[in-house]
Amino acid sequence: MAIRTTNISSLKKIKIETYLEVFETISELPKDIQELMNKAQQARENAYAPYSHFRVGAAIRLTSNQITIGSNQENAAYPSGLCAERVAIFHTGALYPNQEIKAIAISASSSSQVLDEPIGPCGACRQSMAEYEQKQKSPIAIYFMGETGKIVKVASVLDLLPLGFDAKYL
Ligand code: THU
């Protein structure tokens, strides 16, 4: 797993490795994750994306096995909109503050091209997801894809955000 903070000690150079698992199609995913990715694809349909025409759906699996969802919600005042991943994770935190998150599936599509490669979450969403991982003290697996094609899995948000900002610095 990637590291949250560096133990810099006397080292002058540090190599950070990230581990990704690549699945060729949804049918290669474990059954519970197939279901989760299908929910993320359905959630995409409820995106409100009149400005970008870029639709993202995210689905979250809790340890209770419940699934929650989110999609990107845009606004005419552009920065007021929010990404699918943060809609999903904040919605989950608001509804189920004491439940652990096991996995998040993300799928993106665009009206201007077929997205057939994995689309990773933006930096702000990585930061937000990392906080929930830290809060629950157990890793959250992230699976992401475009509209079709391969799916990338990371076992922890930290694999997408090494050296992220951490509440312990506050
Ligand atoms: N978007 C997401 O929902 N998730 C991301 O990780 C990146 C971008 C949304 C925000 C905006 O509504 C649209 O995609 C284009 O940036």
Side-chain angles (χ1 to χ4, degrees):
M1 189 195 294
I3 52 173
R4 178 172 287 280
T5 53
T6 39
N7 178 5
I8 291 181
S9 64
S10 61
L11 293 171
K12 291 261 193 287
K13 288 185 179 173
I14 297 170
K15 182 177 176 186
I16 298 175
E17 290 185 321
T18 291
Y19 298 94
L20 308 176
E21 206 174 327
V22 181
F23 299 84
E24 292 299 314
T25 61
I26 292 183
S27 59
E28 275 188 11
L29 294 167
K31 278 276 171 304
D32 58 331
I33 303 299
Q34 285 185 30
E35 186 194 3
L36 198 64
M37 190 56 87
N38 288 331
K39 295 278 186 205
Q41 291 180 324
Q42 285 166 22
R44 238 174 39 204
E45 302 306 314
N46 289 345
Y48 175 60
Y51 307 107
S52 71
H53 306 289
F54 187 86
R55 311 173 83 84
V56 186
I60 295 183
R61 170 83 70 185
L62 301 169
T63 43
S64 63
N65 268 329
Q66 274 165 292
I67 292 177
T68 57
I69 54 149
S71 53
N72 54 324
Q73 300 295 318
E74 297 185 349
N75 192 280
Y78 291 176
S80 303
L82 201 61
C83 293
E85 297 87 333
R86 276 176 289 161
V87 169
I89 205 153
F90 294 159
H91 166 214
T92 305
L95 282 178
Y96 306 106
N98 301 317
Q99 283 207 35
E100 272 185 28
I101 295 169
K102 281 202 296 199
I104 306 180
I106 305 161
S107 171
S109 69
S110 162
S111 61
S112 58
Q113 57 177 317
V114 176
L115 299 177
D116 59 1
E117 58 186 278
I119 316 280
C122 80
C125 289
R126 294 176 195 209
Q127 181 72 31
S128 298
M129 294 188 289
E131 176 110 6
Y132 284 80
E133 194 173 70
Q134 194 187 18
K135 174 173 166 255
Q136 70 180 32
K137 298 187 179 65
S138 65
I140 300 173
I142 313 281
Y143 295 79
F144 56 88
M145 67 180 295
E147 185 178 356
T148 180
K150 296 183 192 204
I151 302 105
V152 167
K153 173 193 176 184
V154 288
S156 160
V157 185
L158 293 187
D159 287 317
L160 294 175
L161 192 68
L163 307 182
F165 184 73
D166 191 307
K168 77 178 184 202
Y169 301 128
L170 296 176

